[in-house]
Amino acid sequence: MRTNRIRTTALAATALVAALSLTACGGEDKALGTKPAGTAETATPAATSTDGKAQQDAPEAGAPETQTVPSEGKHAGGNGGNHSEKPETAPNTNTEAKAKAAASIPACTPKNSKVKVSSVTRPINHLLLTVTNTGSKDCAAYHAPFLRFDGAQAVYPILDDSKPQAVVVLSPGQKAYAGIGLLGEPGENEPVKSDNLGVIMVDKNNKSKGEATLKLPAETYTDSLGFVTYWQSDIENALMF
């Protein structure tokens, strides 16, 4: 999961596939020559035999034509194949409501919150970042923190796979957490020792709202394959990557 840091969007592809599926099914209905339910067709007069009696297999005059109605969600094809239509997935209204509510809450910043960094025993080569709401009103821990080790110009990579379903909103005294992966696979990059960590909090538009400078635990080493997670509501989620 650590290597998949690029978010992909499949909405356009899904819409295109659904449109093609519906078009294909509609085309098959037209090819079959099906008619709306309730439409009647005047039958050809019954053929008579040499003795003047109507043949038994001739349809009655004026009888409606029997139509085969495809089962729900399927269209019968000329070769007997079926096209299944996937039901639409209902939106998660609870998650959407939380996201809209969080969008109106001020961001947690160095002015209304306090950030600290600490070492952990598991997983190895990880640190834990904790932000606490020290203000008198709710604040939101938006997105992921921007990190700079020893004043580096580039911010530390953010692990997109760690994005939660909803923004973490903190009441006064509550905490949010972010995990910091320090190193990639052994031997891939040369680790660099770091002493200080700059933590930049952001708003809902991912814009900087101030930076806090923290002292790192002794013997902290990082490389270019490390990462930081999005803010999480509990420690387990922050350290699961």
Side-chain angles (χ1 to χ4, degrees), residues 1 5-7 16 18 26 50 56 62 87 113 131 137 140 154 156 176 196 198-199 204 210 214-215 217 223 241:
M1 298 178 69
R5 298 174 187 147
I6 301 178
R7 288 172 287 184
L16 178 59
T50 56
Q56 294 182 356
S113 60
V131 59
K137 297 180 180 179
Y156 214 49
N196 300 291
V199 181
K204 62 184 178 182
L214 308 176
K215 187 70 175 177
D223 65 22
F241 300 96

Side-chain angles (χ1 to χ4, degrees), residues 60-116:
E60 293 184 18
E65 182 183 29
T66 302
Q67 301 184 45
T68 301
V69 181
S71 60
E72 184 177 355
K74 296 181 180 179
H75 296 273
N79 59 357
N82 292 327
H83 294 282
S84 298
E85 297 180 357
K86 295 182 179 180
E88 294 184 3
T89 303
N92 191 332
T93 55
N94 187 42
T95 299
E96 290 179 355
K98 288 183 178 179
K100 289 180 180 180
S104 62
I105 298 176
C108 297
T109 71
K111 293 182 179 181
N112 60 13
S113 60
K114 182 179 180 180
V115 184
K116 74 172 184 177

Side-chain angles (χ1 to χ4, degrees), residues 105-116 130-142 145 168 170 174 176 199-204 207-213 231:
I105 298 176
C108 297
T109 71
K111 293 182 179 181
N112 60 13
S113 60
K114 182 179 180 180
V115 184
K116 74 172 184 177
T130 304
V131 59
T132 304
N133 181 352
T134 57
S136 58
K137 297 180 180 179
D138 290 356
C139 70
Y142 289 110
V168 181
L170 304 180
Q174 286 189 326
V199 181
I200 302 172
M201 305 294 292
V202 299
D203 61 13
K204 62 184 178 182
K207 301 296 184 182
S208 172
K209 299 300 291 183
E211 180 175 3
T213 301
W231 289 113

Side-chain angles (χ1 to χ4, degrees), residues 22-74:
L22 291 174
T23 302
C25 292
E28 290 180 13
D29 287 343
K30 192 173 292 185
L32 288 173
T34 56
K35 300 188 297 180
T39 302
E41 179 180 320
T42 303
T44 303
T48 58
S49 63
T50 56
D51 58 2
K53 295 182 180 180
Q55 294 180 2
Q56 294 182 356
D57 58 351
E60 293 184 18
E65 182 183 29
T66 302
Q67 301 184 45
T68 301
V69 181
S71 60
E72 184 177 355
K74 296 181 180 179

